[in-house]
Amino acid sequence: MNASPTPVASARGDGSRSRLELEAVVTAGAAGVAAFLLGLVLLQGEPRPIGGVGSVARVAAFTTGAAAAASFAVANLRSEAPLPRLGRRLEGTLRVTATCSIALVCFGLGYLAALSAGEVFQAGFIGLEVDAFAGALACAIASGAAAYLAHPLGHDIGTRTLGALVPTFLVVGVLFSMLTASDEDWWQRHFSQLGAGGGISGFAFNVTLILSGLLVATMGAYVRGDLEEVTDGERGSSSRWVGRLLAIIGLCMVLTGLVRVDVAEWLHIAFASSMVVIFCGLCAALPRLAPRLPRAIHLVSGAMVVGTVVALLLWVPVGYYNFTGFEFAACGLIFVWLSAFVRAIAAAKADRADASPRPGRRADSTSVRAGGKVGA
């Protein structure tokens, strides 16, 4: 049997993945140059500290966030990845929602990362101040790195990507709110106290909830498409309810962020509690709604229901911790389930792909029956 010739694209290294990598590098370079020029303009004057009020980090945070969001948006507009089959109108809505929400999340991650890095460096280099050139260079490096890291997300929006972005952004946003909280005793009341009042802490907490909810709702649409693919689009399949329940959970998160606890406490707590109730219902009903998923996720889902009940009992009536402790426990359980759920969907899709007939399989079988000889 003659060896097939090496494809030209592979030999030159200009295949699709190589082109995407080149696009990421070019986008990062452009973002770095733009951030450097903008930094030179905004940082003119007296030398500035790395972190704190009026620092280089405040300028770098905006350039880094903008670079990450723009890089993702450009990659997403150029992407040819298919959307879940949800109908033309729903697909258009999904594309707009996914692009806007993930772009905002990329901005938030870039902004918080640069701001946090500035505070860390300022604590390490006490008293250090830098001029406009050095500050602009820092902006360029941070923005170029953010653009490079965010670019692949635009070509790979799916359940796995969203499943990783949701907990990452939620944890980063909440930690930032905790570190910048003006009320040091917030944890003695409840978690949502971080979003009360004005200031950057409350703004960051509420925006984090809103954007995370949009991501979860978007993820619900992709989950619905993935499960319909696993079930071969069976009519009347109850698996679509998994995506719908996830979308409802995301909507509750958005409403929890929109209704501040210090404005309408009862309504805020009602939306937050609804998330936990619907999550437990989803976990309990998952074996019936999506029986084709691996058994592991059904075991994890059952454990999550038990864990949530135990966490609730430790709050009331045991009194082991306060309401904040229960909220932390519930969030941790949801994160664990989300990670396991994303992997379960990926495993189910991989198993289906392995079981599906591939082009050329019949010809290979025929050639084996003919003596195992394949013509050149």
Side-chain angles (χ1 to χ4, degrees), residues 293-344:
L293 288 180
R295 295 181 181 178
I297 187 58
H298 299 313
L299 294 176
V300 172
S301 298
M304 293 302 102
V305 175
V306 174
T308 304
V309 173
V310 171
L312 179 62
L313 293 176
L314 287 176
W315 171 42
V316 178
V318 176
Y320 179 74
Y321 46 47
N322 59 8
F323 186 44
T324 306
F326 169 71
E327 289 178 305
F328 269 104
C331 289
L333 291 173
I334 292 175
F335 286 167
V336 171
W337 180 85
L338 189 61
S339 299
F341 181 67
V342 170
R343 292 184 58 174

Side-chain angles (χ1 to χ4, degrees), residues 20 23 27 68-83 92 94-103 106 150-158 161 218 222:
L20 292 179
E23 289 179 9
T27 303
S71 178
F72 164 80
V74 170
N76 182 247
L77 292 175
R78 293 174 56 86
S79 175
E80 298 179 356
L83 290 171
L94 176 61
R95 181 178 292 278
V96 173
T97 303
T99 302
C100 294
S101 60
I102 299 179
C106 288
H151 195 272
L153 295 178
H155 293 281
D156 190 28
I157 299 180
T161 302
T218 303
Y222 280 92

Side-chain angles (χ1 to χ4, degrees), residues 20-366:
L20 292 179
E21 185 65 18
L22 178 61
E23 289 179 9
V25 171
V26 172
T27 303
V33 171
F36 179 80
L37 296 176
L38 184 61
L40 281 178
V41 175
L42 297 179
L43 296 173
Q44 286 295 325
E46 297 294 327
R48 305 191 184 199
I50 302 176
V53 179
S55 63
V56 172
R58 296 301 174 92
V59 177
F62 281 105
T63 60
T64 302
S71 178
F72 164 80
V74 170
N76 182 247
L77 292 175
R78 293 174 56 86
S79 175
E80 298 179 356
L83 290 171
R85 294 173 296 177
L86 303 173
R88 181 175 300 178
R89 180 175 299 178
L90 287 177
E91 286 180 8
T93 303
L94 176 61
R95 181 178 292 278
V96 173
T97 303
T99 302
C100 294
S101 60
I102 299 179
L104 289 173
V105 166
C106 288
F107 178 88
L109 286 173
Y111 182 90
L112 294 177
L115 204 62
S116 302
E119 298 298 328
V120 170
F121 276 105
Q122 185 62 45
F125 298 92
I126 299 176
L128 175 64
E129 293 184 342
V130 296
D131 58 12
F133 178 81
L137 187 60
C139 293
I141 295 174
S143 300
Y148 179 77
L149 293 175
H151 195 272
L153 295 178
H155 293 281
D156 190 28
I157 299 180
T159 302
R160 181 182 292 272
T161 302
L162 294 172
L165 277 178
V166 171
T168 301
F169 181 65
L170 195 57
V171 168
V172 171
V174 170
L175 285 177
F176 181 82
S177 299
M178 292 168 58
L179 294 175
T180 57
S182 57
D183 183 7
E184 297 180 352
D185 298 327
W186 65 267
W187 58 271
Q188 297 182 11
R189 277 163 283 185
H190 44 70
F191 203 44
S192 298
Q193 190 64 29
L194 287 172
I200 190 173
S201 174
F203 177 78
F205 180 82
N206 293 320
V207 169
T208 297
L209 282 180
I210 293 171
L211 293 182
S212 297
L214 289 176
L215 287 182
V216 173
T218 303
M219 180 180 172
Y222 280 92
V223 165
R224 175 180 170 182
D226 289 341
L227 291 179
E228 288 185 352
E229 179 181 343
V230 171
T231 58
D232 298 320
E234 295 177 357
R235 289 188 177 181
S237 174
S238 58
S239 61
R240 65 188 60 181
W241 274 102
V242 178
R244 291 173 180 171
L245 290 175
L246 281 174
I248 294 175
I249 292 174
L251 177 61
C252 289
M253 291 183 68
V254 172
L255 295 175
T256 303
L258 289 175
V259 181
R260 282 176 19 192
V261 68
D262 56 332
V263 174
E265 182 175 3
W266 66 271
L267 189 58
H268 177 92
I269 294 178
F271 288 138
S273 301
S274 298
M275 288 189 293
V276 179
V277 173
I278 297 173
F279 167 71
C280 289
L282 173 59
C283 289
L286 192 63
R288 181 179 294 273
L289 296 178
R292 294 196 180 186
L293 288 180
R295 295 181 181 178
I297 187 58
H298 299 313
L299 294 176
V300 172
S301 298
M304 293 302 102
V305 175
V306 174
T308 304
V309 173
V310 171
L312 179 62
L313 293 176
L314 287 176
W315 171 42
V316 178
V318 176
Y320 179 74
Y321 46 47
N322 59 8
F323 186 44
T324 306
F326 169 71
E327 289 178 305
F328 269 104
C331 289
L333 291 173
I334 292 175
F335 286 167
V336 171
W337 180 85
L338 189 61
S339 299
F341 181 67
V342 170
R343 292 184 58 174
I345 290 182
K349 292 179 64 177
D351 289 342
R352 181 182 179 277
D354 292 341
S356 299
R358 299 172 182 171
R361 179 173 292 181
R362 180 176 299 177
D364 293 342
S365 302
T366 304

